[in-house]
Amino acid sequence: MIITVAKSDEEVKRALEPYRNIVVVGCGTCATICRTGGEDQVKEMVEKLMGWGKNVLASMVVESPCDVRIDRRDLRRIEDEVKRADAILVMSCGVGVQAVGEASGKKVLAALDTIFLGEVEHIGRFLERCRECGMCVLNETEGLCPIVLCAKGLMNGPCEDMINGKCGVVGDEADCVWVKVWERMKSEGREEDFLRVNPPLDRSVKVGAAKVVW
Amino acid sequence: MKLMDVLGKGFTLIGQVDSARTVDMGAILNAVKSMGNVSAVIVSEPRGMLGVANTVVVSGLVKKETGKEVICQLTCRDRNRAALLSDVLAAKMLGIDSFLVTDGGHPKISDTPQAMAVFDLDSAQLVQMLRHLSEKGETLAGHSIVGKLNIYVGTMAFPVASPIEVEVKRLERMVGLGLNFMVTYPTFNIEALNRFQSETKRLGVPVIVGVRMLQDVRDARRLNEDPRVTVPPELIDSLEKAEKLRGEEKANARLEANISFFEGFIESIKGKGFAGCSIYAPGIEQAVSQLASRLQA
Ligand code: SF4
Ligand code: SF4
């Protein structure tokens, strides 16, 4: 799940300043779960925009705005409004914003901040779990991501800031992930696995916008 | 004498000095000189302070000006693998071939929390890189180096870490990579040190015990805020007594508090299998040389 939070009203207002005729697009997938871009939030946004003197031509929740094909399909239903719009305010992650821009050829604005790839424990409690390093090491680290869960992103911890099994960098009682890795190995009698040295990450994997084509 | 020769020969005393946010090498040199006849000096980075004079350059100058064997601390915090390599090559040109490798504290808990945390390599990978350079004359990427490097690599060990078993396992991993020595994070806990020694003896790597002298009672209280450190009450007491004195008497009483405490401390760890002791006495380096002569007597 891509976790988003709403930008402040002031920031959205400032971004919309030069534009009057607006279309609002929400997201039926992640941003609906995050309650940042679902039906209710889109409705609230429309009211807010009208309060700011904007002319809202149309609003809709696109099933998954990150998919350009779905954007094209869904936006067809409000084709005229999109054509007349000065800007589309997109209530989705940054991927959705850019895909809507591509599908519509229009000026797009982001209503949300995209903060991480996370797990949903329950609505209102989202936990970061992956930073898309491109060479997943979960198979070596007992299914725990050291890049996110270790404050230093160490591939071979723990470090000098571990205090009683907790991470002294993050504080807030966060566990040191390397102690967790150790505990999992130990509980299965695989203590020797902890001696394995994980190699440095290949940073070239993350240069420029990545592409997967097949 | 080279560090590894020193470490093989009974209990040795080494000193430690921090680099600083300064352009005044004189103060650092004076600190080292006042340590007297220590067998080596660790040039370290002050904890929680980002952007101090490069430890490689400071190490080179200490070596040149004092002739002492120097161990240069290298952390993974600010430099990617290329910058670490260039520092190590430059260090070698300055006659430095012993390194104390640590991950380094996170900028977030430093005086410059906005800085990017690099950690391109971690301390295990840096040990691996240094061993590789030393043994094969090659970088991790397989590029060869012109000239020969004989490098000794140590790391910081944490005898009071809890859970200790994970710390011992981490060190064992480092030893498997060719670690040459360890220096313990300063502690006053002899029991923890002895336990640590018995658990790491099988690794066969010399362990240097880190001790930290205290400038005054305020310094002691500040250090006590680290949850891993407990300054013994008797040391705090004698530092407190020194506060009642004035001028030179006060300074002498503070030194004496340290020297008599650490004399007992070091006597009780001598002969227990440790390779020596590294004394960090920021601002009171003369205590190191006084302690050394007391221990010899
Ligand atoms: S190692 Fe972590 S950041 Fe990398 S892909 Fe796996 S979960 Fe994501
Ligand atoms: S304490 Fe553990 S989680 Fe925190 S930075 Fe160090 S190794 Fe990483």
Side-chain angles (χ1 to χ4, degrees), chain A residues 60-178:
Chain A
M60 77 182 304
V61 172
V62 170
E63 188 189 319
S64 39
C66 52
D67 187 330
V68 180
R69 299 164 307 163
I70 294 176
D71 290 328
R72 288 205 183 102
R73 184 193 74 194
D74 287 5
L75 290 177
R76 209 168 294 144
R77 284 190 270 142
I78 50 168
E79 211 175 341
D80 281 347
E81 290 87 342
V82 168
K83 230 177 249 162
R84 280 191 287 125
D86 301 325
I88 305 178
L89 180 66
V90 187
M91 303 177 74
S92 76
C93 71
V95 181
V97 178
Q98 295 174 73
V100 168
E102 210 176 306
S104 65
K106 280 282 172 181
K107 168 85 192 175
V108 279
L109 296 167
L112 310 181
D113 283 324
T114 306
I115 49 176
F116 55 77
L117 293 195
E119 135 194 328
V120 182
E121 212 172 77
H122 55 74
I123 302 301
R125 191 170 159 81
F126 308 113
L127 307 166
E128 185 174 17
R129 287 295 179 260
C130 173
R131 224 165 268 169
E132 328 95 66
C133 72
M135 38 192 314
C136 193
V137 296
L138 289 177
N139 296 345
E140 277 72 52
T141 56
E142 305 301 298
L144 297 165
C145 173
I147 293 170
V148 169
L149 298 173
C150 168
K152 298 177 186 173
L154 306 179
M155 305 303 282
N156 301 282
C159 76
E160 60 248 57
D161 288 312
M162 187 271 283
I163 299 175
N164 296 327
K166 303 286 173 191
C167 177
V169 177
V170 174
D172 205 18
E173 288 300 291
D175 290 320
C176 168
V177 67
W178 282 102

Side-chain angles (χ1 to χ4, degrees), chain A residues 27-40:
Chain A
C27 160
T29 313
C30 303
T32 289
I33 305 273
C34 291
R35 305 229 171 128
T36 49
E39 293 286 355
D40 291 350

Side-chain angles (χ1 to χ4, degrees), chain A residues 151-152 154-165 168-170 179 182 186 191-192 194-201 203, chain B residues 47 81 102-106 108-109 119-122 124-125 128 140 158 161-163 165-167 169-170 172-173 177 227-228:
Chain A
K152 298 177 186 173
L154 306 179
M155 305 303 282
N156 301 282
C159 76
E160 60 248 57
D161 288 312
M162 187 271 283
I163 299 175
N164 296 327
V169 177
V170 174
V179 173
W182 161 255
K186 192 180 159 197
E191 286 90 340
E192 299 313 297
F194 203 73
L195 300 177
R196 192 177 45 219
V197 181
N198 294 309
L201 287 181
R203 311 286 173 183
Chain B
R47 260 182 90 73
R81 63 196 81 180
T102 60
D103 290 298
H106 197 286
K108 189 180 165 236
I109 46 174
F119 302 112
D120 180 33
L121 299 183
D122 61 31
Q125 294 159 347
Q128 195 170 32
L140 283 180
F158 298 85
S162 154
E165 52 182 12
V166 66
E167 173 64 0
K169 217 58 185 173
R170 178 186 77 90
E172 187 177 346
R173 182 166 63 204
L177 292 169
R228 292 164 293 189

